Every structure is written in C-alpha cells, then in structure tokens.
Amino acid sequence: MININKYLFVYLAIAFGASYGVTVAYLFFPDVLVPITGELTLMHPITIVTLYSPSIAGLIAYYMVGGSSAVKGVLAKFIPRKQDLYWFPIIIVVFFLFAATMHFGSRLFGIPVPEITFTVPEMIGAALFNLIKETGLIGGVLGWIGFLLPALQAKFKSNIVSGLLTGLFFGLWVLPGYVISSFGTSTTYIYYVIQLMVFVVFISYIFNATKGNLLFYLVAFWLAATGSQIQLYFFNPQVQIMQITYFTLAAIIIHLVFKAKKINPKLQTFPEFISSGAN
C-alpha cells in the first residue's frame, strides 16, 4: 500500500524549498545576489524556475512511485477523452460569464476599469501571450492538480476538503511573491489564497468527472487569469472579492447539478488515476 504521507512530504519539501529558499536568499543576501542576477521580477529566469518547482516536484513524486511509466502516465493526462470534450464549451461559457461579471460588476459597484485600447486581434494576441506570461500554469499543473489534489483525495476521501487544502498550499507557496516587493503586486494576499481555494474546489468536480484530465484545469486557469490582461478589469482587492464570490457560487452550482443529475464521479487518487488512459 502506498504511503501517501511520504510522497506528500517529498513534494512539499521540493516545492516549498525552492520558493522559500529563493526568497530567503534574496532577502538576506541581496548585496551579493542582485549585482549578479539583477532584481527579481515575474519574468526573471530564477523566478520562472521557481514557478516550475511544483510541477518538477510532482514529476519526481511520480517517478519515485512508478519510474518513467508513471511520468508518462501523468503527462498523458493532458489528452482529453472523446467523451469529455463537451467540457470545453462549458468551461468557455463559465469563464466568459466570469470575465463579463468582473467587468460589468466593477462598473456597477464603482470600481475603476481600464480604458480598453486593444483591438479584438490585440486582445487575442494578449490572451495567447498570457499562456507564456502565466508561467505558473505549466509550472503548477503537474504539481498542484497533477499530484497534490489526487494525493489529498486519496488521503481525505473528499474532493471539497482536498480542493480547499490544495488551494491553501498553493496560496502558501505563492507567499514569497507578496514578500518580494519587486513583484509589484497590487492584490491582497489573503484574498488570493481564498480565491485559489474556492477555484480548486470548483475545478475538482471537473477533474474527477474527466478521470483526472489536466488540460481542462490548464484552460480554466488560463481563462481566469486572462481578463485583466486584455483590459476588461483591474486585478485589485475589490475584484478579488467578486472573484471569490463567483467561484464560490460556481462550486455550489456544479455540486448541486451533479447531485441533481446523480453524477457521482469516482475520486481520482494518487497514483491510481494515471492508469486510466486518455481514451
């Protein structure tokens, strides 16, 4: 029987060791490091490597449990099954409504919104570029969703508890981004943690219903992070509160829909879920 705690320890040690190790190094030895590497920003190579540490840790955990075949198994989870393709239009609608809610909600509550200067092609270009800019997408998907969520589901037998804890760990991991001032964030940290928690609970329903597919999470996270990049709204504390409300309601609605339709997908657990292929 798999010792989940051992793999959880390895995963968290690598992911948090990289994130907090870089932060501590630059906080206590800036005079030594900054002249060599320059100030850290979200697009700095060191930051990017750090952002990839959750996925690196997840792949290491899979290699430990099953070698290269296990790594191939989790990578195969980016390929959706044919019967799950209908989730793509659902996700697009959910996040179209999300972006519209943030934009018009900001206007309704008197929250400043950007002046839209982009043309439609420029919006599309900015959205596509955000796939690269949001390095945490690939950097985290194989860790937070590919490993931690199914590992916690194996441990707690609940997607809600596991989703909340996954979002919490994710939120604790990004804390250095709020410590290093050069990251230039204008958001509220505690709100961001809560956002991640309710978002992962919402996405956990889709994760389990699609046999642990990772592409749907990737698309959902990308769309959620794109609205502010294409000038629809500012990502500030007031908008964060609206986003928390939106994803809380989305999680409740999808839970009620699954219950009403008697949809009870099997929890996808580490490491078993990688053995159910893509088709």
Side-chain angles (χ1 to χ4, degrees):
M1 186 174 180
I2 295 292
N3 182 353
I4 297 296
N5 290 335
K6 178 179 77 172
Y7 296 100
L8 283 171
F9 176 80
V10 170
Y11 172 79
L12 294 174
I14 295 172
F16 279 85
S19 178
Y20 282 74
V22 168
T23 301
V24 169
Y26 276 83
L27 283 178
F28 287 94
F29 306 105
D31 295 339
V32 175
L33 296 174
V34 172
I36 299 173
T37 65
E39 292 285 346
L40 291 189
T41 66
L42 282 174
M43 297 303 292
H44 193 287
I46 292 177
T47 305
I48 293 173
V49 170
T50 303
L51 287 171
Y52 274 77
S53 63
S55 281
I56 294 170
L59 291 175
I60 289 173
Y62 277 102
Y63 188 83
M64 288 174 59
V65 79
S68 59
S69 62
V71 173
K72 291 178 182 177
V74 71
L75 291 177
K77 286 299 179 177
F78 284 104
I79 305 172
R81 303 180 305 163
K82 292 180 181 179
Q83 60 265 43
D84 293 328
L85 294 178
Y86 70 91
W87 279 106
F88 281 119
I90 292 175
I91 289 173
I92 290 171
V93 169
V94 167
F95 286 92
F96 176 83
L97 292 174
F98 170 78
T101 300
M102 297 308 109
H103 177 78
F104 292 107
S106 292
R107 290 184 176 277
L108 177 64
F109 294 112
I111 302 169
V113 295
E115 179 184 354
I116 298 178
T117 59
F118 286 168
T119 63
V120 172
E122 287 173 335
M123 283 187 173
I124 295 172
L128 292 175
F129 179 70
N130 203 37
L131 278 170
I132 301 172
K133 186 177 179 181
E134 286 286 343
T135 49
L137 285 173
I138 302 298
V141 63
L142 290 168
W144 306 120
I145 308 302
F147 169 77
L148 188 59
L149 179 61
L152 292 175
Q153 287 190 155
K155 186 176 180 66
F156 293 104
K157 315 301 181 186
S158 167
N159 72 298
I160 296 176
V161 172
S162 300
L164 290 172
L165 287 174
T166 298
L168 176 61
F169 279 117
F170 193 166
L172 293 174
W173 179 83
V174 302
L175 178 59
Y178 287 83
V179 174
I180 300 176
S181 60
S182 59
F183 280 11
T185 181
S186 62
T187 55
T188 298
Y189 172 69
I190 188 63
Y191 292 166
Y192 189 65
V193 174
I194 297 172
Q195 281 178 269
L196 290 171
M197 292 172 71
V198 294
F199 175 80
V200 176
V201 170
F202 166 73
I203 210 68
S204 70
Y205 286 93
I206 301 174
F207 176 80
N208 289 311
T210 59
K211 297 290 185 181
N213 187 268
L214 300 175
L215 185 60
F216 296 104
Y217 163 82
L218 200 65
V219 171
F221 196 102
W222 167 56
L223 291 175
T226 296
S228 61
Q229 301 297 316
I230 59 175
Q231 302 180 334
L232 293 181
Y233 52 85
F234 288 118
F235 188 39
N236 55 32
Q238 297 94 326
V239 170
Q240 285 181 280
I241 293 173
M242 288 197 295
Q243 292 185 353
I244 290 168
T245 303
Y246 185 92
F247 283 119
T248 299
L249 291 174
I252 293 171
I253 290 170
I254 198 171
H255 175 83
L256 293 176
V257 169
F258 274 37
K259 186 175 181 180
K261 297 290 186 179
K262 294 182 169 49
I263 302 172
N264 188 27
K266 180 182 177 182
L267 290 179
Q268 301 301 298
T269 57
F270 170 83
E272 294 81 10
F273 91 99
I274 61 172
S275 63
S276 57
N279 300 314

